Each structure stands twice: as structure tokens, then as C-alpha cells.
Amino acid sequence: MTRTLIVTAVNAEADAVCAGLMGSWSRSRARTPSGPGGLVSPDWDRQLLTTSTLGPYVGRRRGPVTVLAAGPAGAAAAAGTAVALSVASAAGEPFGLVIAMGVAGGFRGWAEIGDLVIADQMVAADLGAESGLDEPAEVIPPVRISEMDRNLGFHPAGAPAAQPGPPASPAPTGAFLTMDDLGLGSSTVRPDPGLVRRMTSVLGVTGRRIVSGTVITVSTVTGTERRAATFTARLDPIAEAMEGHAVGVAAGAFGVPVIEIRAISNLVGRRDRASWNMQAALGSLRTAAAALVAHPEGLVPVLDAE
């Protein structure tokens, strides 16, 4: 059976995913409905979670699915994903699909709190170089000498020449150069379109609103409206998180298909922790995981012919 690796950042996300994978398991192991819409999970979903040692990492395994909390941000996510794929391959049990799952911020007009988003592009939004003009230097006002003082010789050299004032219009804003622009690789990971369509269909049974589009990966969480507007103007993303692109790069190095699923906990913009709803996002994440096991075709990385 094809194995799937689900990569999260932190334990709270992994817990939510595992809760969804467990469904309504009971000690009697009765085949009770566990998925959205009363759908029954396959037999392997009746197993208890077991630990799975992946090099220096410990994941939680349920049948063909292993859930790993690799750590927050790109470096930890890439390292954890690569180690898990390497260890599984060496053990003769390679993963056939990688899913980056977790919570994310949603961009206004695209995604609201509790929505599920699926990335059709995973873009490293702030990986690259800045380019452009600096802000104009502070202008020192000229020293003013009265005409009488100059005529009386109190300032033999005369009044200092007037310095040029600030430009009439603001200095041009700097451009952002992506990894592609710099010739250093790609800033974008594109999941297979067939996989995106199939996952959208599978998650549709959750009753949550499903949005598909560009999910950006950032190394610094956006905390201002200005930065949010900059990303919107440049990339028109639906959500931002910190690990998707890194997970995608690691999966790509092993030739394993990858996709990113996020549950929205807050709106991207001015940082306001009081407005975040982590419980709603984790609840959506749990529901998404339940849909995956209720519809195991969502876990089969068969790529559609384009």
C-alpha cells in the first residue's frame, strides 16, 4: 500500500491531524462512521497510532500514514521532510506522497478563518534579494547669513551655497528579485494539477469552504498591512505559512509528489493575536484529515495525464 507522509510544524497541528486520522475509533473496533457525511474509513484506520522512528525524528504512524511535527519555518521543515523520506526509502518502505499540513493566515478577499486552502503554487515569497534606491538622505538646512553681515565681512566666504532639497516626488520603490531572477533556482513549487483537483474534491465533503491558489512561504510572519499589500500586489496569494515551499523542495529532491493543505486561523495584516482563532483552524485541520481517510483516493499519488 502506498505510504503518505504528512508534515506539520508543531505538535498542536500534528495532534489535530492525528485526531482526524483516528476518526471515531472505539475499543470494540466497531466499523462506525468516522468521516464527514457518515463515510466509513478503511480497515487500516482501525489501527492505533504507533511511533515511527525517522532518524532523529519521531513520527506517529497509522497504517500507511505517518504524521511528523518537523519544527517551524523552512529549515526545520526541509530537514525533517528529507530525513523522513531518506529513512523510509532506506528501510524499503518509501513514501509515495508528501502533504504539508497546518494552520495559516488568510489574505482578505480570498480566505476567512476556518476555511481550508489548497496550494496550486507554493511560493517562497521573501527568499531572494532587495533591489532599488535607498530612501533619500536627510537634508541639512543651509546656514542663513544676513546681507548686512556679509557686506560687513562677518562671513568673508559669503553665505554657504544652498544644498539641494528633497526630490519633488518620492524615490522609486525597490524591486524584489526572486531566486529565479537571480539565477539561483526556483521560488515556486507547483503540485500536480490533477492532485490539486482530486484533493479539492476529497476535502469538499468536510462542509468547509475550500479555496485553491497561491500559498506563500515566509520566514517572517507578516505583521503589517503594508507588507500584506505588497505581497498581494506581487503574488496575489490566498494564504501565508512558513513551511510549504521548503517541504516541497525536499519532496522534489526525492521525486515524491507534494501538496499543501492549510486551515486559516487569522487574516494576514496588522498583527493582532487577539483576533486569531486557533481552535477553529485546528478543528478544520482535524476535519480535513478525517476526509482524507474517509476517501483514501485522496492519499493515492496517481498523477493525471495532462
Side-chain angles (χ1 to χ4, degrees):
M1 182 178 288
T2 299
R3 294 185 64 203
T4 296
L5 174 66
I6 297 179
V7 182
T8 69
V10 297
N11 284 332
E13 295 167 326
D15 289 344
V17 171
C18 287
L21 296 179
M22 290 287 286
S24 55
W25 180 88
S26 65
R27 292 189 180 280
S28 64
R29 301 204 176 195
R31 289 181 57 81
T32 55
S34 64
L39 298 168
V40 178
S41 298
D43 287 340
W44 57 261
D45 191 45
R46 300 298 123 211
Q47 303 171 31
L48 286 172
L49 287 169
T50 57
T51 59
S52 180
T53 303
L54 304 167
Y57 298 89
V58 175
R60 283 174 278 180
R61 183 172 177 176
R62 176 141 219 201
V65 181
T66 295
V67 181
L68 177 66
T81 302
V83 168
L85 292 173
S86 179
V87 170
S89 179
E93 297 182 327
F95 290 107
L97 176 66
V98 175
I99 306 177
M101 291 187 74
V103 302
F107 282 83
R108 288 180 177 83
W110 277 114
E112 302 293 332
I113 291 174
D115 289 350
L116 290 171
V117 302
I118 301 173
D120 61 15
Q121 291 190 111
M122 302 146 74
V123 180
D126 55 5
L127 185 62
E130 291 183 328
S131 175
L133 301 177
D134 288 333
E135 295 294 326
E138 181 181 357
V139 177
I140 302 174
V143 178
R144 297 191 178 277
I145 304 296
S146 71
E147 187 70 19
M148 181 180 291
D149 285 345
R150 184 163 53 243
N151 291 338
L152 292 174
F154 294 149
H155 199 290
Q163 300 183 26
S169 59
T173 55
F176 182 81
L177 302 178
T178 66
M179 297 294 282
D180 308 74
D181 297 327
L182 297 168
L184 298 177
S186 177
S187 298
T188 304
V189 173
R190 293 182 175 86
D192 179 80
L195 181 57
V196 173
R197 288 194 296 271
R198 188 166 65 254
M199 198 65 74
T200 300
S201 176
V202 168
L203 295 186
V205 302
T206 62
R208 302 296 202 276
R209 192 163 74 104
I210 313 299
V211 184
S212 179
T214 299
V215 176
I216 61 175
T217 300
V218 295
S219 55
T220 300
V221 175
T222 298
T224 66
E225 296 296 341
R226 179 178 180 179
R227 189 171 193 249
T230 298
F231 283 142
T232 295
R234 181 160 65 88
L235 298 166
D236 193 23
I238 61 174
E240 91 169 12
M242 300 184 75
E243 298 84 22
H245 180 267
V247 172
V249 169
F254 286 81
V256 179
V258 66
I259 195 164
E260 181 175 13
I261 300 171
R262 294 283 173 179
I264 302 302
S265 60
N266 60 284
L267 296 180
V268 178
R270 182 176 65 85
R271 185 171 176 81
D272 178 17
R273 285 282 294 174
S275 68
W276 292 22
N277 192 334
M278 293 298 295
Q279 290 306 310
L282 293 173
S284 291
L285 205 61
R286 173 175 177 166
T287 302
L292 293 179
V293 295
H295 286 269
E297 66 270 20
L299 297 175
V300 179
V302 177
L303 306 183
D304 293 352
E306 293 297 326

